[in-house]
Amino acid sequence: MNVEISTPTTELVQRLSATPRGARLARRLTGTALATWGYPYDGDLSHTAQLVVAELAANAVTHGRVPGRDFELRLRLLPEKGTLRIEVSDARGDRALRFLDGRSEDENGRGLVVVQVLAKLWGVTERDVGKTVWVELALGGGRRGADAEPHGAAK
Ligand SMILES: Nc1ncnc2c1ncn2[C@@H]1O[C@H](COP(=O)(O)OP(=O)(O)OP(=O)(O)O)[C@@H](O)[C@H]1O
Ligand SMILES: [Mg+2]
């Protein structure tokens, strides 16, 4: 007998305007989606994911912006891999991201350094139009209901 058990939807895909408002919305959507999937808004995973999305979205709307084109946020919870995959796609085709080390005297150029420190894996993938900057975060603990001791459990 072949039995297929599908997992509930744990993916969010959203196109957003390439503006500061769109970038703020990307961050808020991330917190909301994770809370829906059982990771509280004020938990470690949500904080980290919101920070990463804020940095990548800020980059998409400043460095990756093409007038008249949106950017796209995609989140995928991959429990079998123990990761949350974050993808931010923009319309600019250049892949040459500049990575500065933390000792730079520059005021800018730290966003991707922070992302690198937080990420389990990350990279940039070309698309037909533009590129995707992706980051995988370790899920760790913290899922409401998954690690918590049942209320009233006998010691
Ligand atoms: N989506 C993107 N498209 C094109 N270039 C990018 C993109 N993201 C980053 N870059 C390039 O990589 C550089 C480093 O990005 P990073 O986020 O570390 O610094 P920043 O955005 O310049 O400043 P900060 O994030 O500290 O405010 C950018 O200055 C830009 O040249
Ligand atoms: Mg930046």
Side-chain angles (χ1 to χ4, degrees):
M1 183 173 61
N2 284 331
V3 179
E4 265 188 40
I5 301 174
S6 63
T7 50
T9 304
T10 45
E11 181 170 24
L12 171 135
V13 185
Q14 183 67 52
R15 278 172 64 165
L16 296 155
S17 65
T19 59
R21 187 166 176 272
R24 278 198 302 277
L25 199 51
R27 181 183 187 139
R28 281 216 302 277
L29 280 172
T30 299
T32 304
L34 284 170
T36 305
W37 299 337
Y39 292 89
Y41 208 85
D42 55 357
D44 286 348
L45 180 71
S46 191
H47 279 163
T48 305
Q50 288 182 57
L51 180 57
V52 167
V53 167
E55 292 296 343
L56 297 187
N59 283 349
V61 308
T62 50
H63 313 300
R65 181 171 172 272
V66 172
R69 306 297 289 265
D70 291 336
F71 75 103
E72 185 181 273
L73 170 70
R74 179 182 291 255
L75 302 176
R76 256 181 298 164
L77 197 61
L78 303 168
E80 65 286 356
K81 278 182 76 180
T83 59
L84 170 71
R85 186 171 169 101
I86 296 167
E87 297 180 0
V88 175
S89 304
D90 63 52
R92 274 202 47 192
D94 48 17
R95 294 182 55 188
L97 303 189
R98 193 162 49 94
F99 308 117
L100 301 179
D101 64 38
R103 290 168 309 210
S104 167
E105 298 298 318
D106 286 5
E107 281 191 13
N108 293 336
R110 288 164 197 274
L112 288 175
V113 176
V114 171
V115 168
Q116 263 178 304
V117 168
L118 296 171
K120 188 164 130 181
L121 286 172
W122 78 289
V124 183
T125 309
E126 272 178 293
R127 307 204 310 164
D128 285 346
V129 177
K131 64 183 171 309
T132 299
V133 184
W134 59 269
V135 170
E136 291 191 1
L137 298 179
L139 290 180
R143 184 164 193 264
R144 181 168 286 152
D147 305 323
E149 210 172 3
H151 289 296
K155 298 263 173 200

